[in-house]
Amino acid sequence: EVNDKAQCFVAAPPFDGDMQFFEACEIELGGAKVKGEICYGELLQQTLKTLPKHVRDKRERESRKRQKERNRPILIGNQKFVNVGALRGKVKEILNSRSDGEQLKPEGTDFKLIMALLEFHPKGSEKIQGTKGIKVAKSLQGDSRCFYMVKEGGTEEDVSVKKCIDVVELNPPYVKVEKKGKDEEEEKPAAEKATPSPPAVAAPAAAPASTGDGDAAAKAEEEKKEEGTEDKKEPTAS
């Protein structure tokens, strides 16, 4: 659907490389090639309102799922961060904690982090070549501050760390989790199985209890039977 501003919006669920795909996407209309643009901010929110509710719900579910999958520790150089957002925060902290023209100490962790991060730049190998120092100063393209690479000949070149972080976000260097081997997992159960159980000891059977009253009653019954037999044998008087 094309609106009164000759704009047409396309919605798609998130997928790997989605932003790069749409940024490079060109559609031929009436003999002319039309290049697409990604919606941000208020324009994005207005566009989402035009979508059916079930499409919006599905998009939100996929977005949450993707965010959860990406919310894993990453490793830049030898420094670990809980996620890409934490890395952005650290870089911002380095910028804000330095004065204009101040160089990072080569033996410090901040210098090592920025050097490791520059390797992710689209032109990383070219940018890093001949770099002997890094400093913080005002950008030539506005009032913002950025990093400058100090070359061996004394020349300086500004570098966009944002481009480096964008590349990291597209393909995060996740921390590898080592899985325990099968032998190691089975070691403990096997040890438990090998431990013999203590033998069961049978309790001695209890001796039958004798009761004196029972024996006396049996004897009295026997004597009574004998007396009855003798009475029957006595002759009757004529």
Side-chain angles (χ1 to χ4, degrees):
E1 182 180 348
V2 181
N3 60 18
D4 54 357
K5 296 181 180 179
Q7 295 175 329
C8 180
F9 297 93
V10 176
F15 58 88
D16 291 338
D18 48 6
M19 295 183 67
Q20 291 71 28
F21 173 80
F22 286 110
E23 285 177 350
C25 182
E26 290 184 352
I27 302 175
E28 187 172 348
L29 295 173
K33 290 185 177 181
V34 180
K35 189 173 180 63
E37 294 182 4
I38 298 176
C39 297
Y40 293 100
E42 185 178 352
L43 182 59
L44 174 61
Q45 297 304 319
Q46 291 178 355
T47 304
L48 292 177
K49 291 178 181 179
T50 63
L51 300 177
K53 186 178 184 302
H54 72 278
V55 176
R56 294 199 306 270
D57 293 342
K58 182 178 180 180
R59 181 184 180 278
E60 290 177 1
R61 288 195 302 269
E62 291 292 334
S63 181
R64 287 195 297 267
K65 180 181 177 182
R66 187 183 185 189
Q67 184 65 27
K68 184 177 180 180
E69 292 174 351
R70 287 180 171 270
N71 194 24
R72 293 160 50 192
I74 60 174
L75 189 66
I76 304 296
N78 60 353
Q79 299 186 45
K80 187 186 298 185
F81 298 90
V82 294
N83 49 36
V84 178
L87 173 62
R88 291 183 189 274
K90 179 60 179 179
V91 171
K92 186 176 180 179
E93 177 188 326
I94 295 174
L95 280 172
N96 294 337
S97 62
R98 264 73 177 186
S99 57
D100 291 341
E102 182 179 352
Q103 290 199 24
L104 306 183
K105 296 179 180 179
E107 68 277 8
T109 56
D110 290 349
F111 177 86
K112 294 176 181 178
L113 172 62
I114 300 302
M115 286 297 294
L117 194 56
L118 290 177
E119 295 180 2
F120 291 89
H121 194 280
K123 298 180 180 179
S125 57
E126 179 183 340
K127 290 279 187 182
I128 297 175
Q129 188 174 5
T131 299
K132 68 174 185 178
I134 298 175
K135 75 173 188 177
V136 175
K138 288 186 178 180
S139 174
L140 299 176
Q141 302 177 359
D143 295 333
S144 60
R145 307 169 78 229
C146 66
F147 292 99
Y148 282 81
M149 296 178 296
V150 181
K151 302 292 184 176
E152 293 176 350
T155 58
E156 299 177 355
E157 180 183 354
D158 62 338
V159 60
S160 174
V161 176
K162 180 182 180 302
K163 290 182 179 180
C164 304
I165 298 178
D166 289 343
V167 173
V168 170
E169 190 170 22
L170 291 175
N171 188 20
Y174 294 121
V175 175
K176 294 182 179 180
V177 180
E178 296 183 0
K179 295 182 179 180
K180 293 184 178 180
K182 185 177 180 181
D183 296 339
E184 185 178 350
E185 291 177 354
E186 295 179 352
E187 183 177 353
K188 186 175 180 181
E192 292 176 352
K193 186 177 181 181
T195 304
S197 302
V201 179
S210 61
T211 56
D213 295 343
D215 294 343
K219 187 175 180 180
E221 183 69 23
E222 184 178 353
E223 291 177 352
K224 186 177 181 180
K225 287 181 179 180
E226 291 178 355
E227 291 177 356
T229 305
E230 291 178 355
D231 293 340
K232 290 180 181 180
K233 292 181 180 181
E234 293 180 356
T236 57
S238 54

